[in-house]
Amino acid sequence: MSTIKIWLDPITRIEGHLAAYIEIDSSTKHVTSAYTSAMMFRGFEVFLRGRPPEDAIAITSRSCGVCGAAHANASVVANDVASGYTPTPLGVALRNMAYAMTDYIYDHSIILNMLGGPDYSELIVSKLTPSVWQEAQSTPTQYSNIHGYKTIADIMTDLNPVTGRIWRLTVEYQRIAREAGVLLYGRHSHPSTLVPGGISTDLSLAGSIFEQYYTRLTALTAWVKFVWAIWQDLHDFYVSIGYELNGKTHDPPSMFAAGWADDPEVYGSFAPTSSPAQWKTLWEHLDEIYQARLEKPGYAMGTNLVTKSVVEMNQGWLEFVDTSFYYDWYKHNVLPPWGYWIKEDPLGNPIAFGNDELMPYHPWNKTTMPKPQAINFTEKYSWDAEPRLMLKDGTIAPIETNPITQLWIDTLYATKVSLGNYDIWESNGSQLTFTLPAAQPTSTAPEICPVPGGCPDLYGELTITWKMPQYSTTIERVLARAVHLALVANIAWANLEYALAQWAAGHTHASSPWQHGSYPSFSYSIGWWHVPRGTNQHWLVQSSDKILNYQYQAPTTKNVSPRNNRCTGPYASQCTGPFEMSALNSWVTEEVPPDQWTGLDIVRAIRSFDPCLACAVHAEVKGEGGRIYKTIEKVIYNACSL
């Protein structure tokens, strides 16, 4: 047996700056060791201190140039709760409409077709897995009436970067989605209209805004059907050739989602009509608010929906730095700026369920103390921290979060979700179903079907059913993103209909009477919001309009978490993030000699979570003794400016 060692540094086309070290048994082609290392420290938590709480909405948005609205929305919810102000029902619907476009429909599209898609393109598949390419050429598609392609190979050819038709269409349709969102946000990717207690969109021309949004949503409804059908066919093909379990994460799956798209009737009912607002009132109803969302919050261990309660999950949310490039604030006796540990949430529930040794590791109590040093896989090797979830029974689990986890939680709710008279989705515990409306082509959007008249079902009603798989695997995560893209279009339609009804009834105000200086003398809160890459979480502690502590975890914080020894129960031997688990459960399908391996299946697994920017991968392939076989540099397809 020979051990092949592969450094992937940096892996881009993902959110963040990431390297991976992989060891592979050359005889079995299976990964035997895997480490992922986040390579950049930002320190937003440090320079937010002392600022007005509402500044965090704009500042945390700058964490990412692609999905800035993800942080802005999590932050604005944290500010809502800390101040006690929520939007009016119209304002809630407008927030949902904007986010559906600028992050979900825009971002899911580019992730699937421009960033992750090239890994399944003719350019890559024919070169690295020629037998798969040969099979694809003779495999007919099942959804040609929607997307127009006759064989799997036809789809792969149009996924080729830059030259492929799917790639080029994605450039056009992601622009249409962003235009729709900017009607409400003012700009993208950093919204200028999100404020505590509402959204400050100028509604003096509301009729024109709604009309332009409707026109774009109509075009995008056909687009999401097209994209779903492509990836459903690709998913079914890869499952048929034995790829289904490649890139599996934890067993049982450890699935977390916070939901998104607040119910306008529920969240809007807490909008105060005068000052001061009562922030603890929102805490008293926090579970009701989150569980009323149009997509649902919860944590599941396999098919067991352990909890739906955001309050309970927040009690047990911990963040360690055992193998991360930070000092342990608790071991160094560094208290939060106010001089004591927060031991209870605002309702009096004990943090860490009363475990005084773990309570200081809650984000409200965290102090960010960087400790830069060289990578050492036996000690510290990443700038990413180690989020873990402590359950009521004391079990400590790693956390996975992405589109598949949101669909997973929605499915386990076994419920029907509607807004007004619009039915959005329905689930029964094992599958989730929804129906997209008919949508005629528009003159302002490019033709989708590759063959004129060759997509007879593209513009009619379409019912999509997602069946919950046994595990989270590479190809299942990719399919879940495509399904979720289509589901979000349904949520956008429901909120548009609701907003139009509100406006027609004379409800023209979108915000509560919040203004600078409206915060209580002391309050602390959370803002959790599921985004294209998973759940985004913000924790805010403020005193008299100044931030005392602000901590936040992007989805990647959970997914790229390095390993530690904190987990218990079924995860005691799986105590690492989903990136590393998916790499450990990958095997090489490349049909080239080991000295020519590129790490295709590893980066497919990682990109199935959250690819972000298209740049390049640099890899060193080493044999026994560290001898370098070959240095590989992939072609750069830079989509950063699109």
Side-chain angles (χ1 to χ4, degrees):
M1 181 197 82
S2 176
T3 298
I4 303 299
K5 301 175 183 179
I6 299 180
W7 270 103
L8 299 168
D9 183 9
I11 300 175
T12 51
R13 288 201 270 145
I14 61 169
E15 206 290 325
H17 304 260
L18 184 70
Y21 174 71
I22 312 295
E23 293 186 359
I24 305 168
D25 183 331
S26 62
S27 60
T28 65
K29 291 190 169 184
H30 280 259
V31 173
T32 57
S33 179
Y35 293 88
T36 58
S37 179
M39 304 298 288
M40 182 179 180
F41 171 68
R42 293 185 176 182
F44 277 70
E45 300 95 335
V46 176
F47 57 73
L48 278 167
R49 286 186 180 179
R51 293 178 176 270
E54 65 267 25
D55 281 6
I57 301 168
I59 292 173
T60 60
S61 173
R62 270 66 183 178
S63 301
C64 181
V66 175
C67 51
H71 287 291
N73 274 273
S75 184
V76 81
V77 173
N79 273 271
D80 289 349
V81 177
S83 65
Y85 291 87
T86 70
T88 66
L90 174 62
V92 176
L94 295 178
R95 281 186 182 181
N96 294 342
M97 287 166 58
Y99 195 75
M101 290 293 182
T102 58
D103 268 37
Y104 272 124
I105 297 179
Y106 147 69
D107 216 357
H108 277 342
S109 295
I110 64 171
I111 287 170
L112 285 164
N113 299 339
M114 299 179 70
L115 307 181
D119 291 335
Y120 302 89
S121 68
E122 175 269 336
L123 185 70
I124 296 297
V125 175
S126 64
K127 178 181 178 181
L128 298 179
T129 56
S131 70
V132 174
W133 172 246
Q134 186 175 5
E135 184 78 13
Q137 289 176 299
S138 61
T139 302
T141 61
Q142 300 298 309
Y143 298 96
S144 60
N145 281 356
I146 299 173
H147 55 55
Y149 295 104
K150 299 303 181 185
T151 69
I152 297 298
D154 292 338
I155 296 175
M156 291 177 170
T157 299
D158 268 5
L159 279 171
N160 282 339
V162 182
T163 61
R165 190 171 185 279
I166 296 170
W167 199 95
R168 298 198 316 272
L169 277 174
T170 305
V171 176
E172 298 282 353
Y173 277 90
Q174 61 86 26
R175 174 182 56 80
I176 293 170
R178 287 194 293 163
E179 287 173 352
V182 167
L183 291 167
L184 299 164
Y185 275 160
R187 64 181 179 184
H188 184 258
S189 61
H190 307 303
S192 59
T193 58
L194 286 175
V195 294
I199 183 168
S200 63
T201 306
D202 182 358
L203 296 177
S204 60
L205 297 174
S208 176
I209 290 174
F210 290 140
E211 180 181 359
Q212 292 184 62
Y213 188 96
Y214 170 86
T215 300
R216 288 166 173 79
L217 180 55
T218 298
L220 289 163
T221 299
W223 168 250
V224 302
K225 295 173 186 176
F226 173 77
V227 175
W228 165 77
I230 285 169
W231 286 101
Q232 185 70 61
D233 262 324
L234 285 170
H235 164 273
D236 295 350
F237 171 73
Y238 271 93
V239 169
S240 74
I241 62 172
Y243 203 76
E244 183 175 11
L245 293 180
N246 211 327
K248 178 172 74 76
T249 56
H250 301 90
D251 187 3
S254 183
M255 312 298 257
F256 164 67
W260 76 286
D262 288 305
D263 185 309
E265 293 290 332
V266 175
Y267 199 40
S269 70
F270 294 99
T273 57
S274 61
S275 299
Q278 300 300 314
W279 70 281
K280 284 194 176 182
T281 299
L282 289 182
W283 265 102
E284 292 166 359
H285 296 275
L286 206 61
D287 276 338
E288 175 191 348
I289 289 167
Y290 273 77
Q291 289 170 31
R293 284 180 166 179
L294 304 184
E295 288 204 80
K296 304 301 182 182
Y299 171 76
M301 191 181 293
T303 58
N304 176 25
L305 184 55
V306 177
T307 182
K308 300 178 180 180
S309 170
V310 167
V311 171
E312 181 182 319
M313 288 186 284
N314 179 63
Q315 278 181 264
W317 205 272
L318 307 172
E319 185 173 350
F320 301 107
V321 291
D322 299 346
T323 55
S324 308
F325 295 145
Y326 301 94
Y327 290 99
D328 186 313
W329 59 96
Y330 178 46
K331 292 180 180 177
H332 283 77
N333 299 312
V334 177
L335 290 166
W338 51 90
Y340 58 88
W341 303 116
I342 291 178
K343 296 185 176 183
E344 298 178 341
D345 70 15
L347 301 179
N349 300 307
I351 300 301
F353 303 104
N355 186 318
D356 287 342
E357 290 300 309
L358 295 179
M359 167 271 300
Y361 293 104
H362 188 278
W364 279 328
N365 291 320
K366 180 186 176 184
T367 299
T368 302
M369 301 168 61
K371 185 183 181 183
Q373 61 188 79
I375 291 175
N376 183 337
F377 291 132
T378 63
E379 296 179 4
K380 292 178 178 285
Y381 64 92
S382 180
W383 278 110
D384 194 77
E386 305 136 39
R388 301 291 185 263
L389 178 60
M390 183 181 188
L391 306 178
K392 254 186 174 180
D393 65 3
T395 299
I396 297 178
I399 304 142
E400 178 172 346
T401 186
N402 44 57
I404 197 173
T405 68
Q406 185 61 76
L407 292 177
W408 199 286
I409 298 300
D410 291 344
T411 299
L412 291 177
Y413 261 70
T415 189
K416 182 177 181 179
V417 173
S418 303
L419 180 58
N421 295 321
Y422 195 102
D423 294 334
I424 302 174
W425 58 267
E426 187 172 4
S427 64
N428 64 7
S430 62
Q431 64 183 35
L432 181 146
T433 302
F434 58 96
T435 299
L436 286 166
Q440 295 303 310
T442 63
S443 59
T444 57
E447 174 59 48
I448 295 174
C449 188
V451 181
C455 307
D457 296 338
L458 178 61
Y459 295 105
E461 276 194 359
L462 176 65
T463 297
I464 295 174
T465 298
W466 181 75
K467 296 180 180 179
M468 191 168 70
Q470 185 177 4
Y471 299 110
S472 167
T473 68
T474 297
I475 201 65
E476 294 295 350
R477 289 188 293 272
V478 173
L479 175 63
R481 191 178 298 278
V483 172
H484 196 252
L485 167 67
L487 177 58
V488 166
N490 237 20
I491 293 174
W493 277 113
N495 279 276
L496 175 59
E497 284 195 5
Y498 183 88
L500 284 167
Q502 285 284 303
W503 188 262
H507 304 301
T508 59
H509 294 291
S511 300
S512 298
W514 174 89
Q515 57 185 350
H516 177 70
S518 296
Y519 292 85
S521 59
F522 182 82
S523 63
Y524 51 117
S525 66
I526 62 173
W528 293 4
W529 191 259
H530 203 82
V531 306
R533 292 169 178 83
T535 288
N536 207 357
Q537 297 164 280
H538 287 224
W539 289 265
L540 166 62
V541 183
Q542 71 81 38
S543 177
S544 301
D545 298 286
K546 286 189 177 181
I547 293 174
L548 297 179
N549 197 12
Y550 201 103
Q551 297 290 330
Y552 64 100
Q553 295 177 7
T556 304
T557 314
K558 280 80 77 173
N559 290 332
V560 78
S561 165
R563 64 198 64 190
N564 63 25
N565 296 316
R566 300 282 188 165
C567 301
T568 60
Y571 303 112
S573 62
Q574 306 177 74
C575 199
T576 191
F579 278 23
E580 288 190 355
M581 285 304 300
S582 67
L584 282 166
N585 288 320
S586 295
W587 63 87
V588 175
T589 63
E590 297 177 54
E591 299 163 23
V592 294
D595 64 314
Q596 296 178 35
W597 288 350
T598 66
L600 172 65
D601 301 286
I602 310 302
V603 294
R604 274 181 175 172
I606 291 174
R607 285 176 182 142
S608 67
F609 288 94
D610 59 357
C612 188
L613 298 178
C615 294
V617 171
H618 176 84
E620 285 184 354
V621 181
K622 299 182 180 181
E624 206 62 55
R627 180 171 63 89
I628 295 178
Y629 284 148
K630 187 177 182 180
T631 298
I632 303 161
E633 291 195 26
K634 285 191 175 179
V635 178
I636 294 178
Y637 293 112
N638 195 321
C640 299
S641 62
L642 295 176

